[in-house]
Amino acid sequence: MAKKLLNYINGAWSESTATEYLDVLNPATGETLGQVPLSPIKDVDTAVQAASAAFNGWRRTPATTRIQYLFKLKTLMDERFEDFSRMIVQENGKTLGEARGEMRRAIENVETACGIPSLMQGYLNEDIARGIDEMMIRQPLGVVTIIAPFNFPGMIPFWFLPYAIATGNTVIIKPSERCPMTMQLVVEIMEELDLPKGVVNLVHGGAEAVNALLDHPTVKAISFVGSTPVALHVYSRGAANGKRVQAQGGAKNPLVIMPDADVEITTSIITDSVFGNAGQRCLAAANIITVGEAQNIFAPVLKEAALSRVVGYGLDENTQMGPVISPQSKTRIESLINKGMEEGAELVLDGRQATISGYEKGNFLNPTILSNVSPKGELAQTEIFGPVMSMMHAETLDDAIKIVNGGNYGNMACIFTNSGGAARRFRYEATAGNIGVNIGVAAPMAFFPFSGWKDSFFGTLHGQGHHAVEFYTQTKVVIERWLKEWSRQF
Ligand code: NAD
């Protein structure tokens, strides 16, 4: 029988009071990896109480002491790097190389948060009036929560977790119910840190658990990553309940190819961006816009590169693309491909009938390419979250930028060119928060914010780096005068 996942509350593993469990399935093999509870409000409340009780002691622990736990965590994560990576492959389906990349970024966030004693420093002015000083200090918020999506089960919680605890908050993590096993393993390993009870809690579940966190009066802040409709729901409901919210949403990333782009490197980078993680990346390129002569140059080579991609089980070392997360997701992607054709697009490469020998139960699609996609159509405007390249054409860079800026999302936009002027214009005018110049996946390093715009983000401060530090702290301004000293001087 598959292992029932437990919640981790107040420094101990406990069975959820859930009446409903979901199977966690390996998307390549169909094997059941575990059973995840859909924790009810009661479990969320128990976790919030534990986190709240831990807050007073944790915020008083000096930042220099708090980061010692993170240094140890980094070492443990390095030691267990392969275990985490293999777990990600099994529950998510991506390749081992992709899973390793994901864990590397998770660790980089721990490293960045080790700088908290400097990062959360305030500032002070003497003599704002005679003998009076004024200072700004940063204090933690209290109980904060992290709600994560399925596609980066190891990395995304780390855009938030290390900063949240380093700044003195206590945390409840709610992983995706589709990929909950990696965070379960992370928390199992975190037990070795001997953190004070209640500083880090893990509650499994779905919408009910999320809504309980959004409504709980003791929860002060919500960090969310997932699809746009849910991001908007989380942002609205959390804010209506007076909480600080950062909600990162979905994406539909455009990528412009100028005629002067380097053919070989550009082709390789673009196919990695579109088909990496089977397209289930919020920074996957989706709409490929060729400008002028680039259409004739790039259409054949992109097709050739897509055709040569090896699709299979992520644990097999030669696999270059794994399955999508679920049979439902596969059906949805196929219906969007059909929709694109109904809208007049031409199916250049059809990945719908994929069967991978030995993995007949997997949710596989092969790389798919559609050309002549209408920029205003449903295919171009909808997040597909699958290995589908939609090609469209513009006569000039200005026209291409119009297509880029016509989309509702603003997670990433990229340009491939050897012209500094074209790149500069694109960087300046594209309405997206993460820009790539000859880069296909413009994923900010841990010390930069993950800067989605438009429907890809609701809030002000993003995950990672300085933004995370600001998000998890509130500023306090103190103006002080010491009367004896003041009357002695004046
Ligand atoms: P999702 O929105 O289905 O789920 C995300 C989280 O929300 C999960 O923890 C889930 O339990 C919870 N949830 C789902 N439905 C809910 C509801 N009705 N009410 C309350 N909570 C609910 O997202 P997903 O399918 O797991 O992840 C893929 C999506 O995440 C894509 O849209 C992708 O673009 C996006 N994403 C965005 C970023 C970013 O940085 N902008 C990064 C990664 C993924």
Side-chain angles (χ1 to χ4, degrees):
M1 196 146 118
K3 173 173 145 184
K4 261 189 175 178
L5 301 193
L6 300 174
N7 290 333
Y8 186 77
I9 298 176
N10 205 25
W13 294 99
S14 56
E15 194 163 314
S16 165
T17 62
T19 50
E20 204 184 331
Y21 279 73
L22 297 180
D23 285 339
V24 182
L25 301 175
N26 181 323
T29 64
E31 173 201 359
T32 305
L33 301 168
Q35 290 186 313
V36 63
L38 296 183
S39 299
I41 296 176
K42 189 167 177 265
D43 292 354
V44 169
D45 183 56
T46 312
V48 174
Q49 301 301 343
S52 178
F55 176 60
N56 222 359
W58 185 241
R59 69 162 288 202
R60 285 174 162 71
T61 304
T64 47
T65 306
R66 292 196 298 253
I67 60 168
Q68 298 313 312
Y69 294 96
L70 294 186
F71 283 118
K72 205 166 154 193
L73 176 60
K74 179 218 163 9
T75 307
L76 290 174
M77 289 174 78
D78 279 336
E79 283 169 12
R80 300 293 298 272
F81 189 77
E82 280 304 305
D83 295 336
F84 288 127
S85 305
R86 296 180 79 81
M87 178 59 84
I88 291 171
V89 174
Q90 288 171 73
E91 68 172 348
N92 173 277
K94 64 183 67 175
T95 68
L96 202 46
E98 289 163 349
R100 288 179 183 135
E102 168 173 358
M103 278 321 292
R104 186 50 57 208
R105 182 56 49 84
I107 293 169
E108 285 164 4
N109 273 285
V110 177
E111 292 165 356
T112 303
C114 285
I116 283 294
S118 315
L119 291 171
M120 74 182 286
Q121 266 174 343
Y123 45 82
L124 183 148
N125 281 53
E126 282 185 336
D127 293 317
I128 49 133
R130 282 176 182 274
I132 300 179
D133 305 330
E134 181 164 345
M135 68 191 83
M136 190 284 281
I137 50 184
R138 290 192 174 278
Q139 295 192 334
L141 306 174
V143 179
V144 302
T145 78
I146 299 162
I147 300 161
F150 82 84
N151 64 330
F152 283 90
M155 174 184 76
I156 286 179
F158 280 88
W159 287 353
F160 311 105
L161 175 68
Y163 306 97
I165 58 175
T167 48
N169 299 280
T170 55
V171 178
I172 296 158
I173 308 162
K174 207 298 287 168
S176 164
E177 64 276 39
R178 286 186 277 179
C179 294
M181 316 271 302
T182 306
M183 279 319 282
Q184 177 99 4
L185 186 59
V186 165
V187 174
E188 276 170 27
I189 276 143
M190 284 184 82
E191 276 197 291
E192 288 184 43
L193 302 178
D194 257 337
L195 274 164
K197 286 178 184 168
V199 170
V200 172
N201 305 275
L202 177 76
V203 175
H204 291 293
E208 186 181 352
V210 171
N211 290 336
L213 288 163
L214 298 176
D215 293 342
H216 202 297
T218 306
V219 171
K220 298 296 177 219
I222 311 278
S223 298
F224 172 89
V225 181
S227 59
T228 290
V230 183
L232 193 53
H233 161 73
V234 166
Y235 183 68
S236 316
R237 189 150 162 179
N241 286 324
K243 300 183 197 318
R244 196 176 273 207
V245 188
Q246 49 182 191
Q248 306 200 179
K252 182 79 185 185
N253 302 306
L255 192 152
V256 173
I257 315 178
M258 297 299 286
D260 66 348
D262 180 278
V263 177
E264 202 178 321
I265 293 174
T266 302
T267 303
S268 153
I269 294 176
I270 292 177
T271 41
D272 277 347
S273 177
V274 177
F275 302 119
N277 282 28
Q280 300 170 115
R281 228 175 353 204
C282 68
L283 294 182
N287 290 342
I288 308 300
I289 307 160
T290 50
V291 174
E293 205 22 48
Q295 185 176 32
N296 295 332
I297 304 170
F298 281 92
V301 285
L302 284 171
K303 180 178 175 186
E304 206 180 307
L307 264 173
S308 71
R309 229 164 165 84
V310 181
V311 180
Y313 186 24
L315 284 184
D316 298 336
E317 284 284 353
N318 65 338
T319 295
Q320 294 173 316
M321 188 176 104
V324 295
I325 190 68
S326 64
Q328 296 78 359
S329 179
K330 181 176 166 170
T331 307
R332 199 184 59 83
I333 294 163
E334 287 168 343
S335 69
L336 276 163
I337 296 170
N338 295 338
K339 181 78 202 167
M341 290 190 298
E342 279 163 34
E343 290 175 344
E346 183 195 336
L347 190 59
V348 174
L349 198 59
D350 183 0
R352 290 173 297 177
Q353 302 303 324
T355 42
I356 306 300
S357 169
Y359 301 105
E360 284 74 12
K361 289 191 181 154
N363 318 313
F364 290 98
L365 286 152
N366 282 324
T368 297
I369 300 180
L370 292 119
S371 68
N372 290 327
V373 172
S374 155
K376 295 255 176 268
E378 198 176 322
L379 182 71
Q381 294 289 334
T382 309
E383 180 176 43
I384 301 177
F385 230 51
V388 180
M389 182 186 292
S390 299
M391 298 199 65
M392 44 197 86
H393 185 66
E395 284 307 323
T396 64
L397 176 58
D398 283 338
D399 291 343
I401 291 175
K402 271 191 201 126
I403 297 175
V404 168
N405 292 350
N408 294 329
Y409 294 104
N411 221 29
M412 178 183 85
C414 301
I415 187 167
F416 284 77
T417 181
N418 275 308
S419 154
R424 203 264 175 192
R425 174 136 46 107
F426 187 82
R427 190 189 75 201
Y428 193 85
E429 292 182 9
T431 54
N434 298 297
I435 299 289
V437 176
N438 298 313
I439 298 287
V441 180
M445 294 292 285
F447 31 88
F448 284 92
F450 199 100
S451 282
W453 281 16
K454 292 156 80 178
D455 283 359
S456 299
F457 180 69
F458 304 100
T460 311
L461 296 163
H462 301 81
Q464 298 198 141
H466 285 283
H467 273 216
V469 176
E470 280 192 48
F471 183 78
Y472 289 125
T473 54
Q474 49 199 340
T475 53
K476 185 178 267 183
V477 175
V478 182
I479 304 177
E480 65 182 37
R481 159 164 52 195
W482 293 93
L483 286 178
K484 264 193 189 163
E485 177 65 10
W486 186 73
S487 37
R488 191 180 64 77
Q489 281 190 39
F490 309 108

